[in-house]
Amino acid sequence: MFKVVDGPIDDIALEDVVRTEADGAVIVFRGVARRYSRGRDVVHLEYEAYPEMAEKVMAQIGDEIKGRWPVSGVAIVHRTGVLQIGQASVAIAVSAPHRGEAFEAAQYAIDRLKQVVPIWKKEVWSDGSQWIGWEHEAHAQESRAAGQ
C-alpha cells in the first residue's frame, strides 16, 4: 500500500497490510507534527502533494527496499492538508523475519521519501510561515540571478 490521503492515517491498518506469519519484526514509523521547529513555535503544518506521482515514487521506494533487504512487506502512507500538532504526517510499515533488516529498511524509507517524493511541507508559525525544503533552492536561484 502506497497512498497519499487527506485525513488521519490508520497505522494499525498499515501493520496488518505488511505482516505475515514469517515475520519476527514489524516496524511502524510515524512522523508527527511537532510544536517547535527551527527555534519557532509551530501553529500547524500544511502538506501538498502530486498524489499520482507521489504514490508511484513511494512504490519505487518499496521496490528498492525489497531489493536491498529480506523484507516481507512495505507500506507508506502520507497525509496532505492541514495537520495539528501531534498528528501524523507519514506512516511507514515494514515487516521482516528479523528486526535489524526491518529497522534499516524503515530508516531508508523515510530518508528516501524526503529526498524524492513530490510532497511539500509548509510550517506555519505564530509570526509567519515557510515552505520547508525550498530554502536552499531559493538561495541558489538568488545566487544564479546575481551572477548573471
Side-chain angles (χ1 to χ4, degrees):
M1 173 190 303
F2 303 96
K3 295 188 86 54
V4 173
V5 298
D6 62 1
I9 298 170
D10 185 351
D11 48 323
I12 300 301
L14 272 186
E15 179 179 341
D16 292 341
V17 166
V18 300
R19 187 173 23 90
T20 72
E21 291 181 354
D23 297 319
V26 178
I27 304 301
V28 178
F29 167 81
R30 290 184 331 129
V32 298
R34 62 180 177 255
R35 170 62 66 197
Y36 302 100
S37 179
R38 303 167 197 269
R40 296 176 122 164
D41 185 27
V42 177
V43 175
H44 67 265
L45 300 179
E46 297 176 14
Y47 282 92
E48 291 185 8
Y50 175 8
E52 298 83 4
M53 182 59 72
E55 291 172 355
K56 185 180 287 190
V57 176
M58 287 189 289
Q60 290 170 352
I61 293 170
D63 291 341
E64 291 171 18
I65 287 169
K66 288 178 179 178
R68 291 180 67 169
W69 291 278
V71 300
S72 303
V74 178
I76 304 172
V77 176
H78 203 294
R79 184 173 172 184
T80 58
V82 175
L83 279 76
Q84 300 305 316
I85 303 307
Q87 292 184 315
S89 58
V90 62
I92 297 169
V94 178
S95 62
H98 303 285
R99 68 181 178 273
E101 292 88 357
F103 275 113
E104 289 174 17
Q107 171 91 42
Y108 178 85
I110 188 61
D111 291 345
R112 192 77 173 121
L113 180 140
K114 288 178 167 269
Q115 291 172 345
V116 299
V117 177
I119 296 174
W120 304 278
K121 174 173 78 171
K122 181 180 187 181
E123 287 185 357
V124 178
W125 309 300
S126 54
D127 62 347
S129 65
Q130 182 174 5
W131 287 99
I132 304 303
W134 294 92
E135 308 93 326
H136 305 295
E137 180 63 25
H139 293 303
Q141 287 177 359
E142 289 169 7
S143 297
R144 285 192 296 270
Q148 294 180 354

